[in-house]
Amino acid sequence: MRVVVISGSMFGTTDLVADRAVTVLQGAGLQVERLGEMSLDLLLEQQADAWLVCTSTTGMGELPDNLLPLHLQLQERFPLLDGKPFGVIALGDSAYPDTFCAGGLLMREQLLELQGRELLPMLQLDASETVTQEDDAEPWLGEFVEALAARQL
Ligand SMILES: Cc1cc2nc3c(=O)[nH]c(=O)nc-3n(C[C@H](O)[C@H](O)[C@H](O)COP(=O)(O)O)c2cc1C
């Protein structure tokens, strides 16, 4: 099983979470690709069995600059995902109550609209509660691995 990991980050915290995701998934014996440039062509080229999207939120509920083009391309080109499994890890800060984790929600909604299948409820990591988001993501990542494994049976 091949998983592609995507990271939308402004200041690098989400990249740390995505790095940890790669470590955990590889440790479970999965083939993992970390997408460098966020473009739909590159993403589709990977022919991954599952997508893991990690993203923070910036501005007033916006996606990080490096993830905006991919989100736009998903909206405009509308590649149907035909039940492809995906998961979303959203980093945010509850100091922004009206737009808490809105970037993750935007990606999640887009993937659902494209008929992806969400494997686990979106993980929300709150910068007001933790500064070790990558450690806090580990239990969810373990469940993500289990959910992927269950699909292979
Ligand atoms: C300018 C700015 C705007 C932000 N806006 C939001 C927001 O609207 N909603 C939210 O949940 N978090 C918001 N955050 C919090 C970040 O998403 C959070 O700190 C995250 O961990 C940053 O991850 P990153 O370093 O990968 O970008 C904002 C942070 C900054 C600096």
Side-chain angles (χ1 to χ4, degrees), residues 23-94:
T23 305
V24 170
L25 297 177
Q26 280 177 342
L30 297 166
Q31 269 187 51
V32 188
E33 290 296 330
R34 173 81 178 270
L35 201 66
E37 190 193 324
M38 304 296 152
S39 94
L40 182 57
D41 285 329
L42 287 177
L43 177 56
L44 296 177
E45 246 172 50
Q46 301 295 324
Q47 299 199 332
D49 303 298
W51 294 355
L52 174 59
V53 178
C54 309
T55 182
S56 67
T57 299
T58 190
M60 287 308 290
E62 283 137 41
L63 284 165
D65 293 345
N66 70 325
L67 203 51
L68 272 177
L70 176 61
H71 184 247
L72 198 66
Q73 288 163 1
L74 287 168
Q75 268 181 331
E76 286 179 351
R77 288 169 52 187
F78 216 75
L80 286 179
L81 299 182
D82 198 20
K84 187 186 291 292
F86 76 88
V88 178
I89 298 180
L91 281 78
D93 191 331
S94 55

Side-chain angles (χ1 to χ4, degrees), residues 9-14 56-59 61 91-93 96 99-101 127:
S9 185
M10 294 298 284
F11 305 107
T13 317
T14 309
S56 67
T57 299
T58 190
L91 281 78
D93 191 331
Y96 300 83
T99 54
F100 180 54
C101 287

